[in-house]
Amino acid sequence: MTKNAPLGVFDSGLGGLTVVRALRAALPHEDIVYLGDTARVPYGTKGPATVTRYALACASHLVARGVKAIVIACNTVSAVAPALLRVELDLPVLEVIEPGARAAAEATKSFKVGVLATAGTIASGAYPRAVASFSTRIETYGQAAPLLVPLAEEGWTEGEVPRLAARKYLEPLARAGVDVIVLGCTHYPLLFPVIEAEAKAMLGSGVTIIDSARAVARDVAAFLASRDLAADPARGAGSIRLLVTDVPKTFDDTASRFLGSAATGAEQVDL
Ligand code: DGL
């Protein structure tokens, strides 16, 4: 496997671009091929067998394009599919739950961690397992927050509607008295300001909100370095190629918000 081959990143939709943004900052020389399965989003409301089947189709498409490693930029897929993908695909597969769980375990002082995620991720129990692997003293409270996905995809990230939705989803976590809340869905960082403001109003200013994208990017960088798979810096800035399975009307605007820079020229592919 050549070190200058691209990194393959995929998500059910555009949320994974928040991970691409962090990868770009941490690994400026890497070429990245991003696949958003926008024709089949959301994954979070679907069962594990369906999500695993979709994930295998996405990852296989990226493998066929010659990527050197896969980053699953979706918590719902990370909750149910990494083991199968590692068996089926003959290349490294990295995921987003362990880095977020580690960051939460390091940040909590009350040993009570909250997780906002899709229904599929919460039902899988992946976060409580991952957090417990860092400390068995910590109790993890999960809350499914399905409405936050369409709000993020639609770019509806400010105002009364996201504020009320965030508040409703945070109530059980506030009752549990958590001091750390993990955004356990790659779509939610777009709603970070609203979620943080509501969480601080309900839980006090000491609450920590964790967007795992930076922790994921750090882990990917460390992994590539340890395998001598990091792109050669002499080749200059890496490229970002965007693939989608359907082109939503507002794709450029919405994708740019997730990516934090202009996202144009997405190519539609058939899996
Ligand atoms: N990006 C997905 C995740 O991180 C959520 C969106 C979906 O439901 O497909 O779980």
Side-chain angles (χ1 to χ4, degrees):
M1 182 60 68
T2 146
K3 37 204 282 184
N4 290 335
L7 267 178
V9 182
F10 76 93
D11 176 36
S12 55
L14 302 181
L17 289 171
T18 58
V19 176
V20 171
R21 179 181 193 163
L23 287 170
R24 172 47 69 241
L27 294 160
H29 307 293
E30 298 293 335
D31 286 340
I32 296 173
V33 182
Y34 178 83
L35 172 59
D37 193 5
T38 45
R40 298 190 281 200
V41 69
Y43 284 6
T45 52
K46 300 183 173 83
T50 304
V51 171
T52 301
R53 188 157 47 86
Y54 290 176
L56 189 55
C58 291
S60 302
H61 186 91
L62 291 170
V63 171
R65 286 176 180 263
V67 300
K68 62 185 171 189
I70 300 268
V71 179
I72 304 172
C74 174
N75 287 261
T76 308
V77 173
S78 298
V80 297
L84 183 122
L85 295 188
R86 289 186 184 116
V87 170
E88 293 288 328
L89 311 170
D90 191 19
L91 85 177
V93 175
L94 297 111
E95 52 86 37
V96 289
I97 290 183
E98 189 186 305
R102 188 189 322 113
E106 284 168 3
T108 183
K109 295 184 180 67
S110 68
F111 298 98
K112 288 183 179 178
V113 164
V115 179
L116 290 177
T118 65
T121 299
I122 297 299
S124 74
Y127 268 100
R129 274 198 302 280
V131 171
S133 75
F134 294 107
S135 168
T136 49
R137 276 186 73 186
I138 301 172
E139 280 181 82
T140 301
Y141 299 84
Q143 175 60 45
L147 282 182
L148 302 187
V149 173
L151 287 174
E153 286 271 326
E154 291 289 325
W156 203 349
T157 55
E158 285 167 25
E160 193 72 351
V161 174
R163 201 175 66 72
L164 284 175
R167 190 164 191 92
K168 187 86 194 143
Y169 292 137
L170 287 167
E171 268 163 12
L173 303 181
R175 275 198 301 277
V178 304
D179 67 344
V180 170
I181 295 171
V182 184
L183 303 185
C185 171
T186 50
H187 283 66
Y188 299 171
L190 238 68
L191 293 149
F192 191 107
V194 173
I195 295 171
E196 186 179 51
E198 289 305 306
K200 283 192 189 302
M202 297 165 85
L203 279 151
S205 58
V207 67
T208 303
I209 311 295
I210 292 188
D211 163 5
S212 52
R214 277 221 301 271
V216 171
R218 266 198 310 274
D219 278 16
V220 173
F223 176 84
L224 293 178
S226 73
R227 299 286 179 100
D228 197 21
L229 273 178
D232 183 358
R235 62 198 297 272
S239 62
I240 296 178
R241 181 155 186 201
L242 299 178
L243 310 175
V244 286
T245 50
D246 186 26
V247 185
K249 267 202 235 65
T250 56
F251 177 85
D252 286 359
D253 274 4
T254 314
S256 302
R257 258 198 300 269
F258 279 100
L259 192 56
S261 57
T264 49
E267 186 188 325
Q268 189 166 349
V269 296
D270 192 4
L271 303 182

